[in-house]
């Protein structure tokens, strides 16, 4: 055949058939792998149908379905989502009511929020932290044989007043004989990146604070240690995104001790 | 033979390119110096990004475009053996490029456009920067049209004859550029410039990035085409060999045309606005672009082996020793292949979705594209300039020893610059950093890498000065009468070719088709999505 009258766009032309065939073939195989096989095989993807797989791979925006987040209230770690706007600025009325209500807390948490009994020191704690824990005790998301009956009859406003009162109290330095404030231990300063542990100080003060984290400075050593153990063994599970459980599980006994001792002396 | 007017046209393109090149290389070295531990920080990151913008815009848009244009005009006359049709238009295109360069570089040097050559919306620079870039691109589109018109005229007079390989590759490169520059042109004209002119205050940065990725990868292949043309059509002749296969060359250019554009989303592997399946598709086709390069490496190695054996080399490796190692073209192609080998291997890592996570936006990437573009590609720009120069000036290009020194300096310099970058990239050193705080214990050990790259950069600056010096001397050399310019002869000169290997229609259709398959959905989806625009961030304005 003469080259000049050879028809290019014809299935009889081997160049046309082979090149178009090869290109379409590669595209189809790649599309099957990329749009069907991989999304279906990936762990954690909830693929319900073929169409679902294709939409996921194509990047179609989908309604937010947080993975592994239970939808029923009881299964949730907590009903409280702490935001910066959650607590209104406290007025003196609220603080006063809180002071009255706090009379029934003094047995453990001290007359002015400083405990003598290894219960948490509440003076100067963030209002949002106190409010969240009270609500979690009330809803049963945080377990305590002592706290649960005490909060059972508190209204939402009562809890806000208590939080405002304790946040208003000045934090006093605790006297811890024989324990001088040392340098922050590695776990507080650096965490342990290889074990996915962020530095304690990056949320709990020292380096940075976050909206939903309590201040740990001056908390009793026994209390901090007990809470870390409770997070590690799952006895306490009211951290919304499991962040404290994940961290505590990875911490060694020495690190738990070091962190608890450090914060107790601050 | 080139007549005087063509010579002037081609020399104008080359000289503007090489002048911009020299300035850009010096800026690059300055950037390495001020970031190095050799001096205290300059305290102003804006100066650094201003320099990076000038460096990137000159080397990304101006230099390779002008080299491709100049070389393309030379090929049109030398390979087709006919006068260039539309010479006035060619000068008009060149004028647009000149005006564009000035328009873009004034705001850049005033610090009003420090957005880097990749634009990075929502950062918005002075509108003249973008308008200048558009003018450069429009000027090059005139070249694209002229290449097509000249080929058509030749075909009319030579029905059924095989298009000379040099012109075939040249026109393939021009079509590739026309299609790939469209993405950035759409981004500039419809998204960025309206914001830069103040007609709009928000921009869909995700969509803009997708459009830029349309251009961003294939532009590298457009830069690469003159280098590959030199591999196929200059190297075998210059070292006294034959091209192993003419058809293989055509297939390589065709594969570049089809595959190099619709794969750009591998630059967006870490971007959230594109689905994982689309990214996978692009990764697969990016893998396909290694095919024409591997074909080329095979064909050129075989061609070089032919030269070695013709020169009396024997045995499995004896032909390597017999090669004309003192010939600059031989040296350049060897250096280019070494850098292409390392850079190509690195590129295969970048295109792999998972491996990319480790190196994305690190110095590894900077190392990768400097090794490929600054190394493998640019060293062949030197070689092709040396090869063409006597035909452009009519004078002898003097000192071969100096040329060899220049090529050695560039090769060693580029290796010294890019290898440490690859290494610290794996360690996680980010790219586009205006300074590094070496007092931080975590990055203090990487300080030495920045000093090493600075020293490598000194070799590059020396080499760039030598290059310009050698070319300048070429204008003052002895007048010589040259034999007619010849491109490489293949082992088997085809008398007839299948239509597929002698025309572009099928391959252009496949290129457009593959673009629609690979880009159609992400672009349509992002355009249809509501509320995806973000406020523009003006650069260089009062703060």
């Amino acid at each position: 055949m003469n080259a000049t009258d050879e028809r290019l766009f014809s299935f009889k032309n081997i160049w046309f058939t082979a090149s178009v065939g090869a290109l379409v073939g590669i595209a189809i195989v790649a599309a099957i792998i990329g749009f069907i096989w991989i999304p279906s095989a990936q762990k954690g993807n909830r693929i319900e149908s073929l169409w679902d797989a294709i939409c996921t791979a194509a990047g179609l925006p989908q309604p937010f379905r947080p993975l592994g987040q239970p939808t029923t209230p009881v299964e949730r770690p907590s009903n409280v989502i702490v935001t910066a706007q959650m607590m209104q600025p406290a007025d003196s009325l609220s603080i006063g009511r809180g002071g009255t209500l706090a009379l029934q807390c003094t047995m453990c948490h001290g007359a002015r929020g400083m405990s003598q009994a290894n219960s948490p020191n509440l003076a100067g704690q963030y209002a949002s932290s106190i409010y969240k824990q009270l609500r979690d005790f009330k809803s049963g998301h945080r377990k305590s044989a002592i706290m649960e009956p005490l909060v059972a009859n508190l209204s939402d406003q009562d809890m806000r007043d208590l939080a405002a009162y304790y946040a208003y109290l000045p934090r006093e330095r605790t006297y811890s004989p024989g324990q001088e404030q040392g340098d922050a231990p590695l776990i507080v300063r650096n965490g342990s990146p290889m074990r996915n542990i962020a530095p304690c100080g990056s949320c709990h003060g020292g380096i940075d604070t976050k909206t939903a984290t309590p201040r740990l400075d001056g908390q009793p050593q026994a209390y901090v240690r007990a809470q870390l153990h409770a997070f590690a063994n799952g006895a306490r599970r009211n951290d919304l995104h499991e962040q404290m459980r994940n961290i505590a599980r990875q911490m060694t006994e020495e690190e738990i001790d070091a962190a608890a001792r450090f914060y107790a002396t601050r | 033979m080139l007549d005087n007017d063509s010579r002037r046209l081609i020399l104008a393109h080359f000289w503007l390119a090489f002048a911009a090149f020299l300035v850009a290389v010096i800026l690059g070295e300055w950037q390495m110096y001020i970031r190095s531990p050799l001096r205290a920080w300059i305290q102003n990151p804006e100066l650094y990004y201003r320099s990076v913008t000038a460096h990137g815009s000159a080397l990304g848009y101006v230099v390779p475009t002008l080299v491709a244009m100049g070389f393309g005009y030379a090929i049109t006359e030398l390979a087709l053996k006919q006068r260039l049709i539309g010479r006035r238009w060619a000068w008009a295109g060149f004028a647009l490029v000149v005006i564009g360069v000035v328009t873009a570089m004034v705001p850049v040097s005033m610090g009003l456009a420090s957005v880097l050559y990749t634009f990075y919306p929502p950062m918005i620079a002075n509108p003249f920067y973008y308008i200048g870039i558009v003018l450069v691109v429009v000027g090059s589109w005139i070249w694209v049209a002229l290449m097509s018109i000249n080929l058509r005229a030749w075909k009319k007079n030579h029905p059924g004859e095989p298009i000379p390989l040099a012109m075939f590759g040249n026109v393939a490169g021009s079509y590739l550029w026309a299609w790939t520059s469209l993405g950035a042109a759409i981004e500039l004209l419809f998204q960025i410039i309206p914001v830069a002119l103040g007609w709009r205050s928000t921009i869909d940065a995700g969509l803009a990035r997708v459009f830029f990725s349309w251009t961003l990868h294939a532009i590298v292949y457009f830069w690469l085409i003159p280098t590959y043309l030199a591999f196929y059509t200059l190297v075998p002749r210059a070292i006294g060999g034959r091209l192993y296969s003419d058809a293989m060359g055509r297939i390589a250019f065709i594969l570049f045309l089809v595959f190099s554009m619709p794969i750009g989303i591998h630059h967006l592997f870490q971007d959230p606005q594109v689905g994982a399946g689309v990214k996978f598709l692009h990764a697969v086709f990016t893998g396909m672009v290694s095919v024409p390069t591997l074909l080329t490496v095979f064909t050129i190695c075989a061609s070089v082996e032919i030269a070695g054996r013709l020169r009396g080399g024997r045995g499995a490796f004896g032909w390597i020793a017999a090669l004309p190692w003192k010939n600059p073209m031989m040296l350049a192609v060897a250096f280019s292949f070494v850098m292409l080998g390392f850079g190509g291997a690195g590129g295969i890592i970048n295109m792999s979705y998972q491996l990319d996570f480790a190196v994305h936006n690190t110095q590894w990437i900077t190392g990768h594209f400097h090794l490929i573009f600054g190394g493998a590609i640019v060293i062949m720009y030197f070689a092709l300039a040396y090869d063409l120069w006597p035909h452009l000036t009519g004078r002898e290009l003097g000192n071969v020893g100096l040329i060899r020194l220049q090529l050695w300096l560039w090769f060693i310099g580029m290796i010294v610059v890019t290898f440490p970058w690859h290494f610290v990239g794996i360690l996680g050193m980010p790219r586009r950093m205006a300074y590094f705080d070496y007092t931080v214990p975590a990055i203090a050990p990487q300080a030495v890498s920045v000093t090493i790259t600075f020293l490598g950069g000194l070799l590059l600056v020396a080499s760039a000065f030598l290059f310009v010096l050698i070319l300048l001397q070429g204008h003052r050399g002895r007048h010589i009468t040259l034999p007619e310019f010849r491109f490489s002869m293949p082992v088997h000169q085809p008398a007839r070719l299948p239509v597929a290997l002698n025309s572009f229609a099928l391959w252009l259709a496949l290129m457009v088709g593959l673009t629609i398959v690979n880009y159609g959905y992400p672009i349509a989806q992002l355009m249809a999505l509501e509320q995806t625009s973000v406020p523009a961030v003006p650069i260089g304005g009062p703060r």
Side-chain angles (χ1 to χ4, degrees):
Chain A
M1 189 194 286
N2 192 330
T4 43
D5 50 53
E6 180 189 336
R7 278 192 60 206
L8 183 53
F9 288 88
S10 149
F11 284 109
K12 284 182 188 151
N13 189 320
I14 180 75
W15 288 92
F16 177 81
T17 332
S19 59
V20 175
L23 196 65
V24 171
I26 295 170
I28 289 176
V29 172
I32 290 174
I33 298 175
F35 284 83
I36 297 171
W37 185 28
I38 295 179
S40 314
Q42 263 168 346
K43 261 192 186 168
N45 268 6
R46 285 201 219 150
I47 301 300
E48 274 139 26
S49 65
L50 190 65
W51 183 241
D52 202 20
I54 294 171
C55 290
T56 307
L60 199 73
Q62 291 176 0
F64 180 59
R65 283 184 308 194
L67 294 173
Q69 189 80 288
T71 43
T72 48
V74 221
E75 288 173 27
R76 271 193 221 134
S78 170
N79 281 342
V80 189
I81 296 170
V82 181
T83 64
Q85 289 77 35
M86 185 174 74
M87 309 301 288
Q88 295 90 4
D91 53 22
S92 54
L93 215 60
S94 174
I95 294 170
R97 280 199 304 266
T100 312
L101 285 166
L103 287 173
Q104 54 178 327
C105 314
T106 51
M107 186 76 85
C108 300
H109 291 289
R112 286 180 61 79
M114 296 305 288
S115 168
Q116 307 290 320
N118 284 340
S119 318
N121 295 320
L122 299 181
Q125 184 58 274
Y126 301 119
S128 57
S129 293
I130 296 172
Y131 173 70
K132 175 180 188 292
Q133 297 310 318
L134 288 173
R135 275 191 53 183
D136 283 351
F137 282 126
K138 191 174 159 91
S139 62
H141 286 109
R142 185 172 177 187
K143 300 287 178 199
S144 164
I146 301 166
M147 287 301 295
E148 278 178 77
L150 284 167
V151 298
N153 292 324
L154 292 180
S155 69
D156 186 70
Q157 190 56 49
D158 291 343
M159 292 188 275
R160 286 179 184 275
D161 294 342
L162 278 166
Y165 169 67
Y166 278 116
Y168 155 83
L169 288 179
R171 188 173 81 83
E172 293 161 30
R173 282 199 69 119
T174 40
Y175 172 63
S176 26
Q179 288 192 353
E180 292 309 310
Q181 157 96 58
D183 283 343
L186 198 64
I187 191 74
V188 174
R189 277 185 288 127
N190 271 37
S192 174
M194 293 304 287
R195 280 177 292 148
N196 245 340
I197 304 179
C200 310
S202 66
C203 297
H204 292 286
I207 301 171
D208 197 3
T209 53
K210 301 280 154 61
T211 318
T213 46
R215 173 181 285 160
L216 294 186
D217 295 356
Q219 295 302 341
Q221 188 176 344
Y223 174 72
V224 174
R225 191 193 298 119
Q227 294 311 308
L228 283 169
H229 283 141
F231 277 127
N233 63 29
R236 182 175 169 185
R237 43 202 309 135
N238 67 329
D239 48 340
L240 204 54
H241 296 293
E242 232 177 301
Q243 58 275 61
M244 277 316 299
R245 276 174 283 172
N246 282 328
I247 287 172
R249 268 197 291 271
Q250 294 291 334
M251 287 171 78
T252 63
E253 207 51 46
E254 291 74 36
E255 285 166 342
I256 289 179
D257 272 340
R261 196 177 322 117
F262 171 73
Y263 278 110
T265 54
R266 262 170 80 88
Chain B
M1 268 322 244
L2 299 164
D3 66 29
N4 279 336
D5 204 21
S6 304
R7 288 174 178 178
R8 267 200 296 277
L9 177 72
I10 296 161
L11 276 173
H13 282 79
F14 279 168
W15 267 124
L16 181 58
F18 298 145
F21 168 77
L22 185 63
V23 174
V25 169
I26 295 168
L27 285 177
E29 178 63 353
W30 178 79
Q31 287 151 221
M32 292 204 271
Y33 176 58
I34 58 139
R35 290 199 308 180
S36 75
L38 298 172
R39 60 154 291 149
W41 184 43
I42 51 167
Q43 302 291 328
N44 185 358
E46 196 279 322
L47 282 177
Y48 174 81
Y49 292 115
R50 191 188 301 194
S51 174
V52 177
T53 307
H55 177 85
S57 304
L59 291 174
Y61 298 126
V62 180
V63 174
T65 310
L66 283 167
V67 169
M69 289 167 77
F71 194 33
Y73 292 133
I75 288 172
T76 308
E77 292 218 335
L78 295 171
L80 300 185
K81 299 187 178 21
Q82 67 181 29
R83 243 179 86 83
L84 181 69
I85 301 166
R87 201 166 310 190
R88 273 163 192 247
W89 281 102
W91 277 112
F94 179 72
L96 276 179
V97 173
V98 174
I99 297 167
V101 170
V102 175
T103 313
M105 281 307 147
V106 169
V108 170
S109 27
M110 291 167 68
L112 301 176
S114 304
V115 293
L116 311 200
Y117 90 104
T118 32
F119 306 147
Y120 293 121
M123 289 199 292
I124 295 293
N126 184 290
F128 285 105
Y129 172 64
Y130 305 113
I131 292 167
I133 301 288
V134 169
L135 289 180
V136 170
V137 172
V138 171
S140 70
W141 284 348
I142 294 181
W143 166 76
V144 172
L146 287 178
M147 291 302 99
S148 181
I149 291 165
N150 278 278
L151 179 64
R152 182 162 303 196
W154 182 88
K155 270 185 149 179
K156 217 172 176 183
N157 298 330
H158 304 77
E161 279 184 38
I163 304 167
L165 178 61
M167 191 62 184
F168 188 83
N170 178 35
V171 175
S174 74
Y175 289 154
L176 173 62
W177 174 237
W179 186 241
T180 195
S181 54
L182 204 60
I186 293 172
E187 184 200 9
L188 284 173
L189 295 175
F190 294 102
Q191 294 198 276
I192 291 181
I193 291 180
V195 181
L197 290 173
W199 299 338
R200 250 187 270 153
S201 59
T202 60
I203 185 164
D204 186 342
L207 178 63
R209 286 175 65 82
V210 170
F211 275 125
F212 196 76
S213 82
W214 170 315
T215 296
L216 186 53
H217 200 69
I219 195 173
V220 184
Y221 289 95
F222 166 62
W223 303 340
L224 196 75
I225 296 281
T227 292
Y228 274 49
L229 282 168
F231 285 161
Y232 280 104
T233 67
L234 302 183
V235 169
R237 183 260 294 148
I239 64 169
R242 289 281 189 112
L243 176 60
Y244 179 70
S245 166
D246 178 272
M248 200 78 101
R250 288 167 201 271
I251 290 173
F253 288 119
I254 285 167
L255 289 175
F256 276 133
L257 194 54
V258 175
F259 285 118
S260 65
M261 186 259 126
I263 59 173
I265 282 183
H266 70 251
H267 288 242
L268 305 184
F269 275 164
Q270 314 302 327
D271 275 35
Q273 78 275 24
V274 181
V278 178
K279 289 172 180 171
F280 180 80
L281 201 60
H282 281 245
V284 168
F285 281 104
T286 312
M288 290 301 296
V289 208
S290 58
V291 174
T293 291
L294 292 172
L295 286 180
T296 303
V297 169
F298 174 80
T299 310
I300 300 307
C301 284
S303 310
V304 171
E305 184 181 344
I306 291 172
R309 296 207 184 277
L310 284 175
R311 293 167 60 89
R314 290 186 186 284
F317 298 104
W319 60 272
I320 299 176
L323 288 170
W325 288 107
K326 298 203 157 173
N327 183 323
M329 190 65 91
M330 184 64 235
L331 217 49
V333 73
F335 291 156
S336 181
F337 269 29
V338 171
M339 294 190 278
L340 190 64
F342 283 110
I348 290 173
I349 288 170
N350 303 340
M351 62 135 246
S352 313
Y353 194 10
Q354 262 71 16
L355 289 177
D356 176 69
F357 274 69
V359 294
H360 199 89
N361 271 343
T362 65
Q363 281 293 104
W364 167 284
I365 302 299
T366 323
H368 167 71
F369 65 72
H370 277 82
L371 195 52
I372 289 277
F373 175 54
I377 294 178
V378 162
I379 209 162
M380 291 310 290
Y381 287 2
F382 299 151
L384 72 87
Y386 291 144
D387 196 76
L388 280 178
W389 220 249
H391 295 270
L392 296 173
T393 58
R395 291 163 190 265
E396 192 181 35
L397 191 60
N399 201 333
V400 180
L402 212 55
I403 294 179
R404 280 202 300 271
L405 175 68
Q406 189 265 328
L407 294 172
W408 271 107
L409 281 176
W410 191 262
F411 172 66
I412 296 171
M414 200 46 85
I415 296 282
V416 174
V417 166
T418 55
F419 278 37
W421 278 348
H422 278 88
F423 180 69
V424 293
I426 297 173
L427 299 183
M429 185 190 257
R431 69 178 176 130
R432 305 190 199 102
M433 297 302 283
Y435 76 106
F436 297 110
D437 184 354
Y438 298 111
T439 58
V440 174
I443 64 167
Q446 294 170 15
V448 66
S449 76
V450 188
T451 309
I452 296 173
T453 52
F454 164 74
L455 295 176
L458 282 183
L459 301 182
L460 295 177
V461 171
S463 177
F465 269 105
L466 262 185
F467 173 62
V468 170
L469 188 76
I470 293 166
L471 294 187
L472 279 175
Q473 277 183 347
H475 286 279
R476 299 220 312 253
R478 203 153 53 79
H479 277 286
I480 43 170
T481 332
L482 285 159
E484 194 187 359
F485 187 90
R486 244 176 7 93
F487 292 98
S488 312
M489 295 280 288
V491 175
H492 301 287
Q493 181 73 49
R496 282 257 177 271
L497 280 172
V499 174
L501 292 186
N502 208 29
S503 65
F504 295 99
L506 172 59
W507 314 116
L508 293 176
L510 289 183
M511 172 181 84
V512 176
L514 192 59
T515 307
I516 293 169
V517 170
N518 282 4
Y519 267 103
Y521 178 75
I523 290 177
Q525 183 210 2
L526 289 171
M527 285 176 76
L529 271 181
E530 307 262 324
Q531 294 192 326
T532 47
S533 292
V534 290
V537 180
I539 295 295
R543 280 161 205 264

